[in-house]
Amino acid sequence: MSANDLLARWTAPAKYRVMADSLALAVPLVLGLAAIGWRLSGIIAALAAAMIAAAIVLFAARYRARRYDQAWLVHALDRERPDMEDSANLLFADPALLGPLERLQQARLLGRIDRYSPHSLRPDWSRRLILLAGIMGLIAVGLALFWPRPGHGPPTLAPSTEALPATPGIPRLTAQNLRIIPPAYTGLPPRDSASLDARAPVGSRIEWTLRFDPQATVPAILPVGGAHIALRSDGPNWIASRPLDASFLYRVDPASGRGPTPPLHRVDAIADSPPQVRAISPATSLTMVQAGQRNWTPVFAATDDYGVAATARLRVTLAIGEGENVTFSEREIAVSGSGPPRDRRFSPRLDFGALGFSAGGDMVVQLIVRDMRQPAAQEVRGPSLILRWPSSRQPESSGLEGMVNITLPAYFRSQRQIIIDAEALLKQKRRLAADRYLARSASIGSDQRILRGRYSQFLGGEEEGEPEPPTNDGEQHSDDGHDHGGPPRQPAPGFGAPEDVLADFGHPHDDSPASSLDPETRAILKKAVDEMWQSEMQLRQGHPDLALPFAYRALRFIKEVQQATRIFLSRVGPELPPIDPSRRMTGKREGLASRVLAISPVEGRDGPAAAAWRALGDGPGAIRGPIALDALDRWARGQSAHLPDPLALSGAIDAVRRDPACLPCRAKLRALLWTAMERPPAQPARRRPADAGGASYLGAIEGGKP
């Protein structure tokens, strides 16, 4: 047996014992540390703490085991084995370097060493330290599991803040606690509030714990405009709970209306905002492929108030080819994010070869993320980024008959986005307020208008969708570039200049993008613009469902334009119809209808509010006694989405209903109504009366004395 084999066989049991002893010491402490991390920050913190602690323990155990080497073994054999005769170092010496007597002693020791097992040299267990570590770990785990958390266990009641006067025999609220349990997806812990007013996420559970003196018999929680919430007895306390789906006002009534009216309290429901997606890199929406580039890594940032899902979808749209060979494909790729849930980064790496992206094409990417709201997550599409790979081909030429333009503008494909946005808005109609729904629809209509303007430039700038009428400025222009007997043409600016060539061989009227379309393609594009007109009109009126058929037809016409084999730059411009001089400057007005529109009153939405505002004032329509508030209450509920603070207005209505003679209550309600009503449209300021100089001037021009 070699010296190395002998050393490994006799030190291995000691090393294993030391590593096992280290693990026995550390495992209870690691578990306790993980339990504390879980208690403080959740399962992710617990796993992170356990992994870090385990790595430290393994490093320490290996460090302790390294001490059991050859020097330790020689010392241990000389100490524990008398038969080694204090010569254990000869076991690992090189026989070639030993003398005759030393070699004889080495042989004797090799024959004696196997009389005992290597396990006899193992160190003992650290029993006291292991027991102490176990006790400390159990204490840490027990504290993490059973230490009372905020919002768990019996609540601690705070003194009531209602400050109602004590009435003999009438119960009143003396102690209170409001517990808020947010939805699990928010990651927020339950909390207790000493006040009965609170703000909580939508979907939370609200729990009241109340105490009355003297003890109440049938107390209740009375929401304004809602069903009563019954309280149930739990020893000296009364408890109740309800889910929070919308903001509401309520009061605690301990004596079924027999005592003084308790004050109102409010609970505001905080809606979960949809995620926000923004592009970090590249900084511009359009990027060109660089020489030698073979992949692309756009970077998106997604933020949310409670967290974004760890995975998202990347929509990749490819337009490959040129001219008549343009093909479109669309796919979705799953991507994983990094960073904390509330601020994730998504940086997918897109390989050109794997996607089939080549020269002469466009790649459009759009990130689609979802938040962690339950039961229905909110999905948001981020901004689109375009990567363009310019073609190395040069435009062809066909002589004086026309030039071929084989470049297709990138925005010939953006009508699809209008349709996608309109369909997404229809899906969210039930969850959006009426004004926000109309604003979103009008915003899509604005996008449709911009897109229509882009296409209209290929129709000679007809951005209004209708041909412009002939001019009527008193000067007739009948020269169309040919010699019709008019004045001679002015000399060209110089020999060989572009104006001179056009004057000799064509029409210098039209150098706009409209000349890039042949008549057939132009007619198809005109149909697309007309459909965009109708789509824009419906979107601006808040009817995306009625706009979709027009948008789809516009997309179909645009596809026909995309599939055109060639786009020619025409040699001549458009021919305007000749002007009939006999129909101008005659002064005849037969057959002309009046263009004055009848003035019709605008029906506002503030009828009940305006009537109540007048009734609460000091004018001739004021009412000193009780006023009818039922119509105003229904109006406030129906217009809650448009009001700045609907709960405050409902509370003011309730206060006036309960005490019509309360002047401060009436003044507060009237002030809230003024801020809640729709502001009248701006009107032109009345002209100031003429001063002495102005009056003299007016008198002079009217034929009187100045």
Side-chain angles (χ1 to χ4, degrees), residues 49-204:
M51 293 176 62
I52 295 174
I56 296 174
V57 169
L58 290 177
F59 178 79
R62 289 174 61 88
Y63 181 78
R64 289 185 63 191
R66 288 175 57 185
R67 295 185 301 169
Y68 293 87
D69 52 5
Q70 180 178 327
W72 168 83
L73 181 59
V74 170
H75 181 73
L77 289 174
D78 290 340
R79 184 183 69 250
E80 302 292 339
R81 298 281 298 274
D83 55 346
M84 292 291 102
E85 299 176 352
D86 293 335
S87 303
N89 59 332
L90 294 176
L91 293 172
F92 308 101
D94 187 0
L97 302 178
L98 300 178
L101 293 178
E102 292 173 330
R103 286 195 296 270
L104 178 62
Q105 180 67 5
Q106 184 184 47
R108 294 173 59 190
L109 295 178
L110 290 174
R112 298 173 184 174
I113 193 170
D114 289 333
R115 294 178 183 177
Y116 296 93
S117 171
H119 294 81
S120 61
L121 299 181
R122 293 182 304 178
D124 292 336
W125 293 95
S126 305
R127 293 180 176 83
R128 292 184 178 180
L129 292 178
I130 292 175
L131 179 61
L132 180 61
I135 294 174
M136 293 176 62
L138 289 176
I139 292 175
V141 173
L143 290 176
L145 293 178
F146 301 107
W147 189 270
R149 303 184 182 185
H152 290 77
T156 301
L157 301 186
S160 173
T161 58
E162 292 191 344
L164 293 177
T167 304
I170 303 297
R172 65 186 182 94
L173 183 65
T174 58
Q176 62 193 20
N177 182 78
L178 185 64
R179 176 166 293 176
I180 302 170
I181 305 175
Y185 77 88
T186 62
L188 300 176
R191 60 186 176 91
D192 287 336
S193 173
S195 172
L196 296 182
D197 301 308
R199 291 170 55 87
V202 173
S204 302

